[in-house]
Amino acid sequence: MAAANYLSSEDQFLCSICLDVFTDPVTTSCGHNFCKTCINTHWNNNDHYLCPMCKKVFNTKPELHVNTFISEMVVQFSQSAQQKASSSRSEQQVSEPGEVPCDVCTGTKLKALKSCLVCLVSYCETHLEPHLTVSGLKRHQLINAVENLEGRMCTKHDKPLELFCKTDQMCVCMLCTVLDHKMHDVVPLKEGYEEKKAELWETESELQQIIQKRQRKIQEFKHSVHLSEKDADREISEGVQVFTALKESVERGQANFIETIKEKQTTTEKQVEDFIKELEQEISELKKRSTEVEQLSRSEDHLHLLQSVQSLNTHHPTPTKDWTEVSVRPSSYEGTVVRAVAQLEETLSGEMKKLLEAELKRVQQYAVDVTLDPDTANPYLILSCGGKQVKHGKVKNNLPDNPERFSRYNIVLAKQSFSSGRFYFDVQVKGKTAWDLGVVRESIDRKGVVALRPKYGFWTICLRNGNEYEALDNPSVRLSLKSPPQKVGVFVDYEEGLVSFYDVDAVALIYSFTGCSFTEKLFPFFSPCSNNDGKNSAPLIICPVRVK
């Protein structure tokens, strides 16, 4: 019962002007209590002396005296409240960084539970109690504790921002709706909150999708780097093997070359040594005979001289070999280096063919299905039903002159276009005496006179007069091929700026355009050239790619 009386009397100890516990409480003649300072200030700021509670008007300013009874009750109430607050504070949480502190607490700030949009103050559990028990304070709008309460008030009308103007997309107070936003679409904050929250959820969903796309793109990039690293490692490994083999071939070739030269020199030296040995033997015999002849010539004995001469001629005849025509010519080394290098070139050619076989297999992995586009074909060209063959006819077809069609030259493009990545296709050129092949950019001139050059958007090679091959570069490059290609492979790496042509059957590189700059779609390009009275009647045929 005492607790009930205590709770019911709390309202009696609060000044209705300052809404705080009485300080020097005074009682008017109408029986209402106020802080002495509050009521005097109220009367000083108004023209009439009236009671703020019952509105009774006093003719003269009443003389007020402190109500000692209420003062004593206020002291007891304050002491009880302090004890209660002290007990409550011991149970409440102290405000931590990032949390909203109580604006009323002195010293150690407790964590605020609610914020009042009327008082613009945040309260802990203890200081919030009047707003939960006092009838005048119960009408105040409480929200979960937040910082910057001033930002929740209309700066123009000093009223709580309780509404949302959808027209101007801003929060407004009640006065704004009848003044500045009178004809606008205004909804309660909660409704605006729900709509914006739904939009934010949608935005969040879109952002998450974008994030996921970006993350997938990162994974794609990382995967590309991984693949590139594997390709680089494989290429380095294969390259090291090739260059090691070439180095060993060069070293073997050099060793064989030196050995050949030394063998020839050794043979010459051996021959000379044999000749010298033989000559020295003859000289020794001649010297011995000369000595005997000299001794015999000094003899005075007629019989002895005649008998000895006969014996001398018999047992020590004079050498009869004619050395006049005998000679030693220096060894001939002409052609030795050439033959050694030719042998090395043959070895290099074998290694080069192995490399080209591996390269051709790799680019053929990017094979695409290409078909001819009849809307681009010159009226004199004849296309097969499946769009895989084209040849030149003698009769002009009656076709609409649409913007895509080539009017002056015997050209047709593929339906497929490419603006990134790599692609490859094979074309049979067997039996033809003239043709053009390659790729072109989409914006090339299809009606006027153009030169088939990269600066005009053409990356092509051609055959003329049955045996004259050219790469139509800037400038043109005459191609020297070991044998006429029967099937030409075309490979393009868009990002690398590379266009390469291969002799598929001979496994040989015909020509490569490098350092190209592609900025638009590329189309495969075909020209069977003129029929030339039947001499060039064979068609160009797009073939299925068969990896060897």
Side-chain angles (χ1 to χ4, degrees), residues 17 35-46 61 64:
I17 296 177
C35 296
K36 186 176 182 179
T37 301
C38 292
I39 190 62
N40 282 327
T41 302
H42 177 74
W43 283 341
N44 291 337
N45 292 334
N46 289 278
K61 183 177 181 180
L64 300 173

Side-chain angles (χ1 to χ4, degrees), residues 108-221:
T108 302
K109 297 283 188 178
L110 296 181
K111 177 181 178 181
L113 297 181
K114 296 288 182 179
S115 297
C116 178
L117 293 179
V118 177
C119 304
L120 296 182
V121 176
S122 297
Y123 299 102
C124 63
E125 182 179 354
T126 300
H127 294 113
L128 178 65
E129 188 170 350
H131 278 75
L132 303 177
T133 58
V134 178
S135 58
L137 298 179
K138 286 181 179 181
R139 291 189 294 271
H140 290 190
Q141 185 176 352
L142 298 176
I143 61 173
N144 291 330
V146 294
E147 294 181 331
N148 188 27
L149 285 168
E150 292 80 2
R152 295 176 176 269
M153 301 296 291
C154 177
T155 57
K156 190 172 184 180
H157 304 113
D158 199 27
K159 297 290 183 182
L161 298 172
E162 302 176 284
L163 303 169
F164 180 72
C165 177
K166 297 173 70 175
T167 304
D168 291 337
Q169 292 292 299
M170 61 183 297
C171 296
V172 296
C173 68
M174 292 296 295
L175 285 178
C176 289
T177 61
V178 297
L179 297 174
D180 302 334
H181 301 264
K182 187 174 182 180
M183 302 302 294
H184 292 184
D185 183 9
V186 179
V187 297
L189 275 183
K190 184 176 182 181
E191 183 178 337
Y193 162 83
E194 295 295 343
E195 290 182 4
K196 286 296 179 184
K197 191 172 183 180
E199 292 178 7
L200 289 174
W201 276 113
E202 185 176 349
T203 302
E204 171 65 10
S205 177
E206 293 175 355
L207 290 174
Q208 287 299 324
Q209 291 179 6
I210 295 174
I211 290 172
Q212 290 174 4
K213 288 181 180 178
R214 299 296 187 272
Q215 290 174 337
R216 286 196 295 269
K217 183 58 70 172
I218 289 175
Q219 294 302 317
E220 179 184 328
F221 288 154

